Amino acid sequence: MDTTPAPEPPAAEPPAAEPPAAEPPNPETAIPEAVASETMASETVTAEPATSECTPPDEAPAPDFTPDERARGRALRRAQLPWALGGRLAGLALTLLLGLTPAGAALVTAVGGWFGGSRTAGVLAGAAALVVLGQALQLPFGAGARTVRARYGLVTQGWAGWALDAVRGLALTLVLVLPLALGLFALTAWSPQHWWLPAAGAAALLTAALSFLHPLLIEPVFNRFSPMPPGELRTALLALAERDDVRVRDVLVADASRRTTALNAYVSGFGATRRIVAYDTLLTTAEPREVELVVAHELGHVKHRDVPVGTALGAVGAAVAVAVLGLLAAWPPLLDAAGATDAADPRALPLLAALAALLGTLSGPPQCAVSRRIEARADRHALELTGDVEQFVAMQRRLAVANVSDVDPPRVLELLFATHPSATRRIAAARAWRAAPEQRAPGRRAAGR
């Protein structure tokens, strides 16, 4: 049920086969999921409470969201969308400029010369320059989005903390990218034509490794976690996981309130590292039963093996992407445009980054479409596990209002960026689930209260 934004890697960085989970969670950079989760459908989906037996026939049911709440969500989306889209377009434009013109080759040659001019110096200095330029370009867009979100009360972090997160993100990106660039060009030196064969396998393995290591190594860089104190809620969450036959090691609380007022919870890790994580903002704002519904949704991802399946698909996708890069990087017109002789030439680094950025941009909408289906399935799992439609509706309403979501955004934004269905669609689906018991999963025991 992720509703927090996660920044994408700088568009100008060299190709790295890392899953989205490996991106540092900075709430104010790139397309915020407050935009992505708001960009759901141009047509309004009426998600109104079903008329109960005690409702007079001439009295319309109350809407789930007031006109003011809907207007506030639309206003936030419209205010931050130029910054979010502008950042993406600017990053892509920079990457293409450096990768498809001699400018990138000149940059790699110049910065490599600062460190002796060797091939290794060109690779490492060139990769670092691309990363730094890409992230520097994103700073004003991230700052603009942060300013907008602060006006809506969604930001609690000061500018110093925001800057520190940017430095941490840059350092983490460099730690990941520089060894990858060095290994990549070791393979291109081995065979400028067939380097992509071993690189594809390495990309798949790296994707799987980063997915496993993310909760252990990446998340602690940006958040502090503490065990949830013993009490009724912790007991209820562990009992919920046990009833769902999902093993979790612990229930942790993330100090999200240092950065944002947004609400969220998730289940991360594999096997012995799996844990339930709740934002402290969620625990202080939502009712305990609503927290259970959020966690029940996340358990649905575990139950349906969304993380391992997604990791496997990501590994396959990374391997295919590297293979496509290998074929494109051997095309003489592209090499000539980039000012490189072949894939083994360090001056080809910006070209590889540009091709990777294009592939990532083109694959975004299909990935979002798959993500929306997965999230809808997790919603159904939460309903089947708890049988509590009314609390599910209350939880969706609380998340949408607290996160200032646009509950009926334009369809084009949904198709391009939305990773989750809109709040109105999720509420309507829950009521449809209640009205059609024959469509429920067989053998599921709901435990309502």
Side-chain angles (χ1 to χ4, degrees), residues 12-113:
E13 70 182 47
E18 53 184 280
E23 299 164 7
N26 181 344
E28 272 64 58
T29 57
I31 291 278
E33 192 164 296
V35 175
S37 63
E38 293 160 8
T39 56
M40 303 303 154
S42 57
E43 67 270 19
T44 300
V45 178
T46 304
E48 318 247 321
T51 305
S52 65
E53 295 179 0
C54 59
T55 302
D58 57 346
E59 182 179 331
D64 291 305
F65 300 99
T66 68
D68 286 345
E69 290 166 347
R70 290 173 178 267
R72 182 173 166 82
R74 281 195 301 270
L76 173 59
R77 185 251 302 164
R78 290 168 178 167
Q80 68 180 353
L81 190 60
W83 295 106
L85 288 180
R88 282 201 168 188
L89 293 175
L92 182 61
L94 175 64
T95 307
L96 296 179
L97 174 65
L98 294 176
L100 301 180
T101 71
L107 174 67
V108 172
T109 301
V111 296

Side-chain angles (χ1 to χ4, degrees), residues 57-438:
D58 57 346
E59 182 179 331
D64 291 305
F65 300 99
T66 68
D68 286 345
E69 290 166 347
R70 290 173 178 267
R72 182 173 166 82
R74 281 195 301 270
L76 173 59
R77 185 251 302 164
R78 290 168 178 167
Q80 68 180 353
L81 190 60
W83 295 106
L85 288 180
R88 282 201 168 188
L89 293 175
L92 182 61
L94 175 64
T95 307
L96 296 179
L97 174 65
L98 294 176
L100 301 180
T101 71
L107 174 67
V108 172
T109 301
V111 296
W114 299 346
F115 300 93
S118 67
R119 184 176 186 274
T120 300
V123 170
L124 292 178
L130 293 177
V131 169
V132 171
L133 281 176
Q135 294 213 356
L137 180 64
Q138 294 302 317
L139 285 177
F141 296 98
R146 180 197 181 278
T147 301
V148 170
R149 293 172 64 80
R151 290 205 305 264
Y152 285 80
L154 291 171
V155 175
T156 59
Q157 184 183 44
W159 283 106
W162 179 83
L164 180 59
D165 274 352
V167 172
R168 287 173 177 164
L170 174 62
L172 180 61
T173 303
L174 290 173
V175 166
L176 291 172
V177 166
L178 295 186
L180 292 177
L182 199 59
L184 175 65
F185 277 86
L187 291 176
T188 61
W190 165 74
S191 174
Q193 288 76 39
H194 303 105
W195 61 269
W196 56 270
L197 289 170
L205 292 175
L206 181 64
T207 299
L210 286 176
S211 182
F212 178 80
L213 294 174
H214 179 263
L216 302 177
L217 301 180
I218 308 300
E219 288 180 5
V221 174
F222 295 92
N223 291 287
R224 289 193 292 267
F225 300 90
S226 59
M228 180 179 289
E232 291 185 6
L233 181 57
R234 185 179 188 278
T235 300
L237 295 180
L238 291 175
L240 191 68
E242 182 178 1
R243 189 167 68 248
D244 208 18
D245 296 323
V246 174
R247 293 177 55 192
V248 295
R249 187 187 69 181
D250 204 354
V251 182
L252 303 181
V253 179
D255 59 342
S257 58
R258 292 190 301 123
R259 293 185 176 88
T260 181
T261 60
L263 312 182
N264 191 26
Y266 58 93
V267 177
S268 70
F270 293 94
T273 68
R274 185 180 297 133
R275 64 267 186 95
I276 297 171
V277 180
Y279 278 18
D280 55 357
T281 52
L282 179 68
L283 300 181
T284 57
T285 302
E287 296 294 331
R289 186 57 171 166
E290 294 171 1
V291 177
E292 291 183 43
L293 265 296
V294 176
V295 172
H297 168 98
E298 298 303 326
L299 291 175
H301 291 307
V302 178
K303 196 69 174 179
H304 292 288
R305 303 184 181 277
D306 291 337
V307 174
V309 170
T311 298
L313 292 176
V316 172
V320 171
V322 170
V324 173
L325 284 178
L327 296 175
L328 292 176
W331 194 30
L334 286 177
L335 289 169
D336 292 342
T341 56
D342 56 27
D345 187 344
R347 293 175 299 177
L349 184 60
L351 173 62
L352 293 174
L355 295 175
L358 279 175
L359 291 176
T361 299
L362 293 175
S363 66
Q367 291 183 42
C368 287
V370 172
S371 175
R372 289 193 297 272
R373 293 180 65 88
I374 290 173
E375 295 299 333
R377 183 176 65 183
D379 281 350
R380 289 194 299 272
H381 180 89
L383 292 167
E384 291 165 357
L385 180 61
T386 65
D388 199 338
V389 173
E390 292 310 316
Q391 283 299 320
F392 180 91
V393 170
M395 176 265 291
Q396 290 294 337
R397 170 179 156 71
R398 186 180 297 277
L399 289 176
V401 172
N403 297 338
V404 196
S405 297
D406 182 359
V407 296
D408 289 311
R411 182 165 178 76
V412 65
L413 295 181
E414 172 192 12
L415 296 177
L416 292 175
F417 305 120
T419 58
H420 291 61
S422 66
T424 50
R425 289 191 180 277
R426 299 174 90 164
I427 290 172
R431 293 190 172 121
W433 176 88
R434 178 173 57 187
E438 68 278 1

